[in-house]
Amino acid sequence: MNQIYNFFPLSIYRDKIILSPENKKEMIEEIIKMKKDSDKGLKPAQNAWTGDTHGHEYLFKNEKFKIFYEEVEKHIIKYMDHFELDVSKLEFYFQRSWATLSNSKEYISPHDHSQSNLSFAYYLKKEKGDSEFILIDKLKHNEFIPQLFTSVSAERNKIFKKRTTSNIARINIDPEEDDIIIFPSKTLHGTQKNTNNNERISISADVSILAKESKNLEHLTPPFSEWKKFTNN
Ligand SMILES: [Fe+2]
């Protein structure tokens, strides 16, 4: 009997954050207001509105989102359990956070957040049929014939009998409202194209992880409190 080992996975976290309806309502209203005040129509028509590129990249400073970020923290820590990390030796920072709002056929092209360690998407307002979340694998360890996993003609010619996690380079997750999805920031991600969105609102953030104690330790960024800012810059 043969055996297949699946090594080197990409582990994505999913759970729910249940906020009070009143809190959600004020968060939604706040985001709609941010969009209204900052949307000068400069973005390409097919792009979703993203707060980080419209002057709203520190959403965690807004009191109305306080409970939300407290909940997010708990989920990030739980995600770390999966990797057997001792979080007592690490410090976590939200470095930036923003909302996205999509209407009609607007979408977010594949991108990553290379200046960050962990990122998440939380679905504050999402109806069935709104765009799904897309993850794209850059490494494709299993793709022994280059480009095969994403080949349109291979798909058309039914080269694969079936698609499984062993032969794909792209996966759609259809989150429900209140879902949070956490992933490594270096993962390419975006939203589904050609879908009709009805004021779909998500919140994202970039999280940096530093060492609490830097002594005899490589590869982790030293604690923020020890850094020295340039004096003449
Ligand atoms: Fe993103």
Side-chain angles (χ1 to χ4, degrees), residues 154-188:
E155 182 66 21
R156 206 173 41 231
N157 286 286
K158 297 192 168 55
I159 297 294
F160 292 102
K161 291 184 284 181
K162 190 180 165 193
R163 290 296 189 140
T164 71
T165 50
S166 295
N167 62 22
I168 53 164
R170 185 190 162 95
I171 187 96
N172 281 30
I173 299 177
D174 191 12
E176 291 175 353
E177 187 165 304
D178 303 318
D179 279 0
I180 179 168
I181 291 176
I182 314 175
F183 52 97
S185 305
K186 64 180 182 180
T187 317
L188 270 181

PDB file of all heavy atoms in Angstrom, residues 154-188:
ATOM      1  N   ALA A 154      -4.919  23.455 -20.281  1.00  0.00           N
ATOM      2  CA  ALA A 154      -4.905  22.147 -19.602  1.00  0.00           C
ATOM      3  C   ALA A 154      -6.264  21.888 -18.949  1.00  0.00           C
ATOM      4  O   ALA A 154      -6.788  20.772 -18.975  1.00  0.00           O
ATOM      5  CB  ALA A 154      -3.794  22.106 -18.561  1.00  0.00           C
ATOM      6  N   GLU A 155      -6.833  22.941 -18.433  1.00  0.00           N
ATOM      7  CA  GLU A 155      -8.156  22.845 -17.801  1.00  0.00           C
ATOM      8  C   GLU A 155      -9.199  22.517 -18.882  1.00  0.00           C
ATOM      9  O   GLU A 155     -10.022  21.619 -18.710  1.00  0.00           O
ATOM     10  CB  GLU A 155      -8.462  24.186 -17.113  1.00  0.00           C
ATOM     11  CG  GLU A 155      -9.762  24.253 -16.364  1.00  0.00           C
ATOM     12  CD  GLU A 155      -9.810  23.336 -15.156  1.00  0.00           C
ATOM     13  OE1 GLU A 155      -8.748  22.926 -14.644  1.00  0.00           O
ATOM     14  OE2 GLU A 155     -10.930  23.009 -14.730  1.00  0.00           O
ATOM     15  N   ARG A 156      -9.093  23.252 -19.989  1.00  0.00           N
ATOM     16  CA  ARG A 156     -10.041  23.064 -21.097  1.00  0.00           C
ATOM     17  C   ARG A 156      -9.959  21.642 -21.647  1.00  0.00           C
ATOM     18  O   ARG A 156     -10.955  21.026 -21.992  1.00  0.00           O
ATOM     19  CB  ARG A 156      -9.719  24.081 -22.190  1.00  0.00           C
ATOM     20  CG  ARG A 156     -10.911  24.436 -23.058  1.00  0.00           C
ATOM     21  CD  ARG A 156     -10.606  25.574 -24.020  1.00  0.00           C
ATOM     22  NE  ARG A 156      -9.296  25.501 -24.627  1.00  0.00           N
ATOM     23  CZ  ARG A 156      -8.421  26.511 -24.655  1.00  0.00           C
ATOM     24  NH1 ARG A 156      -8.717  27.658 -24.083  1.00  0.00           N
ATOM     25  NH2 ARG A 156      -7.248  26.368 -25.239  1.00  0.00           N
ATOM     26  N   ASN A 157      -8.755  21.118 -21.695  1.00  0.00           N
ATOM     27  CA  ASN A 157      -8.556  19.763 -22.240  1.00  0.00           C
ATOM     28  C   ASN A 157      -8.689  18.666 -21.186  1.00  0.00           C
ATOM     29  O   ASN A 157      -8.347  17.514 -21.438  1.00  0.00           O
ATOM     30  CB  ASN A 157      -7.183  19.682 -22.917  1.00  0.00           C
ATOM     31  CG  ASN A 157      -7.175  20.421 -24.243  1.00  0.00           C
ATOM     32  OD1 ASN A 157      -7.737  19.949 -25.224  1.00  0.00           O
ATOM     33  ND2 ASN A 157      -6.590  21.597 -24.264  1.00  0.00           N
ATOM     34  N   LYS A 158      -9.161  19.066 -20.024  1.00  0.00           N
ATOM     35  CA  LYS A 158      -9.419  18.111 -18.927  1.00  0.00           C
ATOM     36  C   LYS A 158      -8.197  17.235 -18.615  1.00  0.00           C
ATOM     37  O   LYS A 158      -8.300  16.002 -18.487  1.00  0.00           O
ATOM     38  CB  LYS A 158     -10.646  17.254 -19.228  1.00  0.00           C
ATOM     39  CG  LYS A 158     -11.930  18.064 -19.341  1.00  0.00           C
ATOM     40  CD  LYS A 158     -13.159  17.152 -19.349  1.00  0.00           C
ATOM     41  CE  LYS A 158     -14.458  17.889 -19.173  1.00  0.00           C
ATOM     42  NZ  LYS A 158     -14.697  18.970 -20.117  1.00  0.00           N
ATOM     43  N   ILE A 159      -7.020  17.870 -18.548  1.00  0.00           N
ATOM     44  CA  ILE A 159      -5.795  17.161 -18.201  1.00  0.00           C
ATOM     45  C   ILE A 159      -5.881  16.605 -16.778  1.00  0.00           C
ATOM     46  O   ILE A 159      -5.336  15.548 -16.474  1.00  0.00           O
ATOM     47  CB  ILE A 159      -4.567  18.099 -18.363  1.00  0.00           C
ATOM     48  CG1 ILE A 159      -4.400  18.546 -19.822  1.00  0.00           C
ATOM     49  CG2 ILE A 159      -3.292  17.463 -17.824  1.00  0.00           C
ATOM     50  CD1 ILE A 159      -4.056  17.433 -20.808  1.00  0.00           C
ATOM     51  N   PHE A 160      -6.582  17.317 -15.918  1.00  0.00           N
ATOM     52  CA  PHE A 160      -6.798  16.824 -14.550  1.00  0.00           C
ATOM     53  C   PHE A 160      -8.177  16.159 -14.465  1.00  0.00           C
ATOM     54  O   PHE A 160      -9.172  16.746 -14.903  1.00  0.00           O
ATOM     55  CB  PHE A 160      -6.760  17.982 -13.543  1.00  0.00           C
ATOM     56  CG  PHE A 160      -5.407  18.605 -13.381  1.00  0.00           C
ATOM     57  CD1 PHE A 160      -5.093  19.807 -13.997  1.00  0.00           C
ATOM     58  CD2 PHE A 160      -4.442  17.989 -12.597  1.00  0.00           C
ATOM     59  CE1 PHE A 160      -3.844  20.388 -13.841  1.00  0.00           C
ATOM     60  CE2 PHE A 160      -3.182  18.565 -12.430  1.00  0.00           C
ATOM     61  CZ  PHE A 160      -2.885  19.764 -13.055  1.00  0.00           C
ATOM     62  N   LYS A 161      -8.213  14.979 -13.876  1.00  0.00           N
ATOM     63  CA  LYS A 161      -9.502  14.315 -13.676  1.00  0.00           C
ATOM     64  C   LYS A 161     -10.291  15.022 -12.578  1.00  0.00           C
ATOM     65  O   LYS A 161     -11.510  15.059 -12.591  1.00  0.00           O
ATOM     66  CB  LYS A 161      -9.277  12.841 -13.278  1.00  0.00           C
ATOM     67  CG  LYS A 161      -8.720  11.998 -14.417  1.00  0.00           C
ATOM     68  CD  LYS A 161      -8.619  10.536 -14.009  1.00  0.00           C
ATOM     69  CE  LYS A 161      -7.423  10.329 -13.094  1.00  0.00           C
ATOM     70  NZ  LYS A 161      -7.217   8.945 -12.671  1.00  0.00           N
ATOM     71  N   LYS A 162      -9.531  15.557 -11.644  1.00  0.00           N
ATOM     72  CA  LYS A 162     -10.172  16.188 -10.488  1.00  0.00           C
ATOM     73  C   LYS A 162      -9.184  17.176  -9.882  1.00  0.00           C
ATOM     74  O   LYS A 162      -7.973  16.939  -9.941  1.00  0.00           O
ATOM     75  CB  LYS A 162     -10.483  15.077  -9.478  1.00  0.00           C
ATOM     76  CG  LYS A 162     -11.338  15.457  -8.315  1.00  0.00           C
ATOM     77  CD  LYS A 162     -11.534  14.226  -7.437  1.00  0.00           C
ATOM     78  CE  LYS A 162     -12.071  14.629  -6.070  1.00  0.00           C
ATOM     79  NZ  LYS A 162     -11.986  13.537  -5.119  1.00  0.00           N
ATOM     80  N   ARG A 163      -9.676  18.264  -9.311  1.00  0.00           N
ATOM     81  CA  ARG A 163      -8.794  19.221  -8.636  1.00  0.00           C
ATOM     82  C   ARG A 163      -8.837  18.978  -7.131  1.00  0.00           C
ATOM     83  O   ARG A 163      -9.912  18.882  -6.548  1.00  0.00           O
ATOM     84  CB  ARG A 163      -9.236  20.657  -8.935  1.00  0.00           C
ATOM     85  CG  ARG A 163      -8.988  21.065 -10.381  1.00  0.00           C
ATOM     86  CD  ARG A 163      -7.505  21.060 -10.694  1.00  0.00           C
ATOM     87  NE  ARG A 163      -7.230  21.634 -11.992  1.00  0.00           N
ATOM     88  CZ  ARG A 163      -6.204  22.439 -12.249  1.00  0.00           C
ATOM     89  NH1 ARG A 163      -5.341  22.743 -11.296  1.00  0.00           N
ATOM     90  NH2 ARG A 163      -6.020  22.913 -13.451  1.00  0.00           N
ATOM     91  N   THR A 164      -7.673  18.840  -6.551  1.00  0.00           N
ATOM     92  CA  THR A 164      -7.567  18.638  -5.103  1.00  0.00           C
ATOM     93  C   THR A 164      -6.521  19.625  -4.565  1.00  0.00           C
ATOM     94  O   THR A 164      -5.878  20.327  -5.351  1.00  0.00           O
ATOM     95  CB  THR A 164      -7.095  17.206  -4.773  1.00  0.00           C
ATOM     96  OG1 THR A 164      -5.713  17.102  -5.137  1.00  0.00           O
ATOM     97  CG2 THR A 164      -7.904  16.155  -5.509  1.00  0.00           C
ATOM     98  N   THR A 165      -6.317  19.647  -3.277  1.00  0.00           N
ATOM     99  CA  THR A 165      -5.316  20.565  -2.713  1.00  0.00           C
ATOM    100  C   THR A 165      -3.906  20.204  -3.188  1.00  0.00           C
ATOM    101  O   THR A 165      -2.986  20.983  -3.029  1.00  0.00           O
ATOM    102  CB  THR A 165      -5.343  20.566  -1.171  1.00  0.00           C
ATOM    103  OG1 THR A 165      -5.299  19.213  -0.721  1.00  0.00           O
ATOM    104  CG2 THR A 165      -6.566  21.253  -0.625  1.00  0.00           C
ATOM    105  N   SER A 166      -3.722  19.035  -3.791  1.00  0.00           N
ATOM    106  CA  SER A 166      -2.402  18.641  -4.281  1.00  0.00           C
ATOM    107  C   SER A 166      -2.091  19.157  -5.678  1.00  0.00           C
ATOM    108  O   SER A 166      -0.951  19.070  -6.131  1.00  0.00           O
ATOM    109  CB  SER A 166      -2.281  17.110  -4.297  1.00  0.00           C
ATOM    110  OG  SER A 166      -2.352  16.619  -2.995  1.00  0.00           O
ATOM    111  N   ASN A 167      -3.106  19.665  -6.408  1.00  0.00           N
ATOM    112  CA  ASN A 167      -2.830  20.090  -7.790  1.00  0.00           C
ATOM    113  C   ASN A 167      -3.424  21.459  -8.129  1.00  0.00           C
ATOM    114  O   ASN A 167      -3.763  21.717  -9.281  1.00  0.00           O
ATOM    115  CB  ASN A 167      -3.300  19.020  -8.789  1.00  0.00           C
ATOM    116  CG  ASN A 167      -4.802  18.792  -8.723  1.00  0.00           C
ATOM    117  OD1 ASN A 167      -5.556  19.651  -8.266  1.00  0.00           O
ATOM    118  ND2 ASN A 167      -5.251  17.646  -9.189  1.00  0.00           N
ATOM    119  N   ILE A 168      -3.564  22.304  -7.120  1.00  0.00           N
ATOM    120  CA  ILE A 168      -4.074  23.658  -7.390  1.00  0.00           C
ATOM    121  C   ILE A 168      -3.047  24.699  -6.944  1.00  0.00           C
ATOM    122  O   ILE A 168      -2.177  24.417  -6.121  1.00  0.00           O
ATOM    123  CB  ILE A 168      -5.419  23.944  -6.669  1.00  0.00           C
ATOM    124  CG1 ILE A 168      -5.294  23.648  -5.165  1.00  0.00           C
ATOM    125  CG2 ILE A 168      -6.548  23.176  -7.298  1.00  0.00           C
ATOM    126  CD1 ILE A 168      -6.389  24.235  -4.344  1.00  0.00           C
ATOM    127  N   ALA A 169      -3.194  25.905  -7.514  1.00  0.00           N
ATOM    128  CA  ALA A 169      -2.309  27.010  -7.111  1.00  0.00           C
ATOM    129  C   ALA A 169      -3.144  28.202  -6.671  1.00  0.00           C
ATOM    130  O   ALA A 169      -2.637  29.275  -6.423  1.00  0.00           O
ATOM    131  CB  ALA A 169      -1.422  27.409  -8.274  1.00  0.00           C
ATOM    132  N   ARG A 170      -4.444  27.935  -6.573  1.00  0.00           N
ATOM    133  CA  ARG A 170      -5.368  29.028  -6.297  1.00  0.00           C
ATOM    134  C   ARG A 170      -6.599  28.432  -5.628  1.00  0.00           C
ATOM    135  O   ARG A 170      -7.093  27.384  -6.056  1.00  0.00           O
ATOM    136  CB  ARG A 170      -5.720  29.614  -7.669  1.00  0.00           C
ATOM    137  CG  ARG A 170      -6.542  30.810  -7.714  1.00  0.00           C
ATOM    138  CD  ARG A 170      -6.936  31.021  -9.186  1.00  0.00           C
ATOM    139  NE  ARG A 170      -8.069  31.907  -9.203  1.00  0.00           N
ATOM    140  CZ  ARG A 170      -7.954  33.216  -9.370  1.00  0.00           C
ATOM    141  NH1 ARG A 170      -6.798  33.753  -9.613  1.00  0.00           N
ATOM    142  NH2 ARG A 170      -9.015  33.986  -9.323  1.00  0.00           N
ATOM    143  N   ILE A 171      -7.055  29.089  -4.559  1.00  0.00           N
ATOM    144  CA  ILE A 171      -8.241  28.557  -3.879  1.00  0.00           C
ATOM    145  C   ILE A 171      -9.178  29.706  -3.517  1.00  0.00           C
ATOM    146  O   ILE A 171      -8.732  30.777  -3.151  1.00  0.00           O
ATOM    147  CB  ILE A 171      -7.842  27.732  -2.619  1.00  0.00           C
ATOM    148  CG1 ILE A 171      -9.048  27.022  -1.985  1.00  0.00           C
ATOM    149  CG2 ILE A 171      -7.151  28.576  -1.557  1.00  0.00           C
ATOM    150  CD1 ILE A 171      -9.194  25.613  -2.433  1.00  0.00           C
ATOM    151  N   ASN A 172     -10.473  29.466  -3.682  1.00  0.00           N
ATOM    152  CA  ASN A 172     -11.477  30.451  -3.266  1.00  0.00           C
ATOM    153  C   ASN A 172     -12.026  30.047  -1.911  1.00  0.00           C
ATOM    154  O   ASN A 172     -12.339  28.876  -1.706  1.00  0.00           O
ATOM    155  CB  ASN A 172     -12.654  30.457  -4.239  1.00  0.00           C
ATOM    156  CG  ASN A 172     -12.348  31.220  -5.496  1.00  0.00           C
ATOM    157  OD1 ASN A 172     -11.203  31.280  -5.923  1.00  0.00           O
ATOM    158  ND2 ASN A 172     -13.373  31.800  -6.091  1.00  0.00           N
ATOM    159  N   ILE A 173     -12.146  31.012  -1.023  1.00  0.00           N
ATOM    160  CA  ILE A 173     -12.854  30.780   0.241  1.00  0.00           C
ATOM    161  C   ILE A 173     -14.055  31.710   0.200  1.00  0.00           C
ATOM    162  O   ILE A 173     -13.908  32.889  -0.130  1.00  0.00           O
ATOM    163  CB  ILE A 173     -11.962  31.112   1.456  1.00  0.00           C
ATOM    164  CG1 ILE A 173     -10.718  30.218   1.478  1.00  0.00           C
ATOM    165  CG2 ILE A 173     -12.749  30.969   2.766  1.00  0.00           C
ATOM    166  CD1 ILE A 173      -9.742  30.538   2.613  1.00  0.00           C
ATOM    167  N   ASP A 174     -15.227  31.166   0.500  1.00  0.00           N
ATOM    168  CA  ASP A 174     -16.416  32.023   0.511  1.00  0.00           C
ATOM    169  C   ASP A 174     -16.770  32.347   1.952  1.00  0.00           C
ATOM    170  O   ASP A 174     -17.482  31.594   2.606  1.00  0.00           O
ATOM    171  CB  ASP A 174     -17.580  31.325  -0.203  1.00  0.00           C
ATOM    172  CG  ASP A 174     -18.734  32.291  -0.431  1.00  0.00           C
ATOM    173  OD1 ASP A 174     -18.518  33.519  -0.253  1.00  0.00           O
ATOM    174  OD2 ASP A 174     -19.832  31.839  -0.778  1.00  0.00           O
ATOM    175  N   PRO A 175     -16.256  33.453   2.473  1.00  0.00           N
ATOM    176  CA  PRO A 175     -16.506  33.752   3.881  1.00  0.00           C
ATOM    177  C   PRO A 175     -17.948  34.207   4.089  1.00  0.00           C
ATOM    178  O   PRO A 175     -18.578  34.716   3.172  1.00  0.00           O
ATOM    179  CB  PRO A 175     -15.543  34.914   4.185  1.00  0.00           C
ATOM    180  CG  PRO A 175     -14.760  35.143   2.943  1.00  0.00           C
ATOM    181  CD  PRO A 175     -15.517  34.531   1.812  1.00  0.00           C
ATOM    182  N   GLU A 176     -18.417  34.005   5.315  1.00  0.00           N
ATOM    183  CA  GLU A 176     -19.732  34.522   5.686  1.00  0.00           C
ATOM    184  C   GLU A 176     -19.513  35.796   6.487  1.00  0.00           C
ATOM    185  O   GLU A 176     -18.416  36.013   7.015  1.00  0.00           O
ATOM    186  CB  GLU A 176     -20.456  33.503   6.578  1.00  0.00           C
ATOM    187  CG  GLU A 176     -20.852  32.265   5.832  1.00  0.00           C
ATOM    188  CD  GLU A 176     -21.448  31.210   6.756  1.00  0.00           C
ATOM    189  OE1 GLU A 176     -21.433  31.404   7.991  1.00  0.00           O
ATOM    190  OE2 GLU A 176     -21.904  30.196   6.221  1.00  0.00           O
ATOM    191  N   GLU A 177     -20.551  36.598   6.600  1.00  0.00           N
ATOM    192  CA  GLU A 177     -20.449  37.777   7.461  1.00  0.00           C
ATOM    193  C   GLU A 177     -20.003  37.320   8.855  1.00  0.00           C
ATOM    194  O   GLU A 177     -20.394  36.246   9.302  1.00  0.00           O
ATOM    195  CB  GLU A 177     -21.818  38.473   7.521  1.00  0.00           C
ATOM    196  CG  GLU A 177     -21.765  39.804   8.259  1.00  0.00           C
ATOM    197  CD  GLU A 177     -23.005  40.647   8.017  1.00  0.00           C
ATOM    198  OE1 GLU A 177     -23.322  40.930   6.849  1.00  0.00           O
ATOM    199  OE2 GLU A 177     -23.659  41.013   9.018  1.00  0.00           O
ATOM    200  N   ASP A 178     -19.189  38.096   9.525  1.00  0.00           N
ATOM    201  CA  ASP A 178     -18.624  37.834  10.868  1.00  0.00           C
ATOM    202  C   ASP A 178     -17.413  36.894  10.858  1.00  0.00           C
ATOM    203  O   ASP A 178     -16.825  36.646  11.901  1.00  0.00           O
ATOM    204  CB  ASP A 178     -19.663  37.266  11.866  1.00  0.00           C
ATOM    205  CG  ASP A 178     -20.866  38.149  12.034  1.00  0.00           C
ATOM    206  OD1 ASP A 178     -20.679  39.378  12.115  1.00  0.00           O
ATOM    207  OD2 ASP A 178     -21.994  37.622  12.078  1.00  0.00           O
ATOM    208  N   ASP A 179     -17.065  36.357   9.709  1.00  0.00           N
ATOM    209  CA  ASP A 179     -15.884  35.479   9.645  1.00  0.00           C
ATOM    210  C   ASP A 179     -14.602  36.302   9.680  1.00  0.00           C
ATOM    211  O   ASP A 179     -14.552  37.397   9.116  1.00  0.00           O
ATOM    212  CB  ASP A 179     -15.871  34.673   8.336  1.00  0.00           C
ATOM    213  CG  ASP A 179     -16.767  33.456   8.387  1.00  0.00           C
ATOM    214  OD1 ASP A 179     -17.399  33.233   9.441  1.00  0.00           O
ATOM    215  OD2 ASP A 179     -16.836  32.726   7.375  1.00  0.00           O
ATOM    216  N   ILE A 180     -13.587  35.724  10.310  1.00  0.00           N
ATOM    217  CA  ILE A 180     -12.240  36.285  10.215  1.00  0.00           C
ATOM    218  C   ILE A 180     -11.341  35.213   9.601  1.00  0.00           C
ATOM    219  O   ILE A 180     -11.433  34.034   9.966  1.00  0.00           O
ATOM    220  CB  ILE A 180     -11.698  36.776  11.584  1.00  0.00           C
ATOM    221  CG1 ILE A 180     -10.267  37.339  11.406  1.00  0.00           C
ATOM    222  CG2 ILE A 180     -11.735  35.687  12.666  1.00  0.00           C
ATOM    223  CD1 ILE A 180      -9.736  38.104  12.597  1.00  0.00           C
ATOM    224  N   ILE A 181     -10.520  35.642   8.663  1.00  0.00           N
ATOM    225  CA  ILE A 181      -9.559  34.739   8.016  1.00  0.00           C
ATOM    226  C   ILE A 181      -8.171  35.320   8.239  1.00  0.00           C
ATOM    227  O   ILE A 181      -7.919  36.491   7.923  1.00  0.00           O
ATOM    228  CB  ILE A 181      -9.890  34.596   6.521  1.00  0.00           C
ATOM    229  CG1 ILE A 181     -11.207  33.827   6.405  1.00  0.00           C
ATOM    230  CG2 ILE A 181      -8.771  33.856   5.777  1.00  0.00           C
ATOM    231  CD1 ILE A 181     -11.734  33.667   5.034  1.00  0.00           C
ATOM    232  N   ILE A 182      -7.288  34.528   8.828  1.00  0.00           N
ATOM    233  CA  ILE A 182      -5.923  35.010   9.119  1.00  0.00           C
ATOM    234  C   ILE A 182      -4.942  34.195   8.279  1.00  0.00           C
ATOM    235  O   ILE A 182      -5.094  32.973   8.132  1.00  0.00           O
ATOM    236  CB  ILE A 182      -5.575  34.872  10.615  1.00  0.00           C
ATOM    237  CG1 ILE A 182      -6.722  35.392  11.498  1.00  0.00           C
ATOM    238  CG2 ILE A 182      -4.288  35.641  10.941  1.00  0.00           C
ATOM    239  CD1 ILE A 182      -6.509  35.182  12.998  1.00  0.00           C
ATOM    240  N   PHE A 183      -3.942  34.868   7.748  1.00  0.00           N
ATOM    241  CA  PHE A 183      -3.003  34.201   6.839  1.00  0.00           C
ATOM    242  C   PHE A 183      -1.641  34.895   6.891  1.00  0.00           C
ATOM    243  O   PHE A 183      -1.549  36.056   7.298  1.00  0.00           O
ATOM    244  CB  PHE A 183      -3.551  34.214   5.409  1.00  0.00           C
ATOM    245  CG  PHE A 183      -3.963  35.587   4.911  1.00  0.00           C
ATOM    246  CD1 PHE A 183      -3.104  36.343   4.130  1.00  0.00           C
ATOM    247  CD2 PHE A 183      -5.195  36.133   5.243  1.00  0.00           C
ATOM    248  CE1 PHE A 183      -3.460  37.614   3.674  1.00  0.00           C
ATOM    249  CE2 PHE A 183      -5.559  37.401   4.800  1.00  0.00           C
ATOM    250  CZ  PHE A 183      -4.706  38.135   4.022  1.00  0.00           C
ATOM    251  N   PRO A 184      -0.587  34.201   6.461  1.00  0.00           N
ATOM    252  CA  PRO A 184       0.723  34.852   6.390  1.00  0.00           C
ATOM    253  C   PRO A 184       0.662  36.007   5.379  1.00  0.00           C
ATOM    254  O   PRO A 184       0.140  35.821   4.274  1.00  0.00           O
ATOM    255  CB  PRO A 184       1.655  33.737   5.893  1.00  0.00           C
ATOM    256  CG  PRO A 184       0.946  32.464   6.241  1.00  0.00           C
ATOM    257  CD  PRO A 184      -0.510  32.770   6.091  1.00  0.00           C
ATOM    258  N   SER A 185       1.199  37.159   5.751  1.00  0.00           N
ATOM    259  CA  SER A 185       1.077  38.359   4.891  1.00  0.00           C
ATOM    260  C   SER A 185       1.706  38.178   3.521  1.00  0.00           C
ATOM    261  O   SER A 185       1.357  38.870   2.572  1.00  0.00           O
ATOM    262  CB  SER A 185       1.746  39.555   5.566  1.00  0.00           C
ATOM    263  OG  SER A 185       1.230  39.769   6.833  1.00  0.00           O
ATOM    264  N   LYS A 186       2.660  37.262   3.428  1.00  0.00           N
ATOM    265  CA  LYS A 186       3.346  37.076   2.143  1.00  0.00           C
ATOM    266  C   LYS A 186       2.513  36.266   1.136  1.00  0.00           C
ATOM    267  O   LYS A 186       2.907  36.132  -0.024  1.00  0.00           O
ATOM    268  CB  LYS A 186       4.704  36.406   2.358  1.00  0.00           C
ATOM    269  CG  LYS A 186       4.626  35.001   2.913  1.00  0.00           C
ATOM    270  CD  LYS A 186       6.020  34.435   3.088  1.00  0.00           C
ATOM    271  CE  LYS A 186       5.972  33.013   3.592  1.00  0.00           C
ATOM    272  NZ  LYS A 186       7.309  32.455   3.773  1.00  0.00           N
ATOM    273  N   THR A 187       1.378  35.755   1.576  1.00  0.00           N
ATOM    274  CA  THR A 187       0.512  34.984   0.670  1.00  0.00           C
ATOM    275  C   THR A 187      -0.205  35.916  -0.304  1.00  0.00           C
ATOM    276  O   THR A 187      -0.832  36.891   0.120  1.00  0.00           O
ATOM    277  CB  THR A 187      -0.570  34.226   1.490  1.00  0.00           C
ATOM    278  OG1 THR A 187       0.033  33.653   2.633  1.00  0.00           O
ATOM    279  CG2 THR A 187      -1.260  33.170   0.660  1.00  0.00           C
ATOM    280  N   LEU A 188      -0.141  35.603  -1.577  1.00  0.00           N
ATOM    281  CA  LEU A 188      -0.890  36.397  -2.559  1.00  0.00           C
ATOM    282  C   LEU A 188      -2.380  36.190  -2.320  1.00  0.00           C
ATOM    283  O   LEU A 188      -2.843  35.055  -2.180  1.00  0.00           O
ATOM    284  CB  LEU A 188      -0.563  35.934  -3.977  1.00  0.00           C
ATOM    285  CG  LEU A 188       0.592  36.574  -4.728  1.00  0.00           C
ATOM    286  CD1 LEU A 188       0.682  35.961  -6.126  1.00  0.00           C
ATOM    287  CD2 LEU A 188       0.441  38.077  -4.828  1.00  0.00           C
TER     288      LEU A 188
END
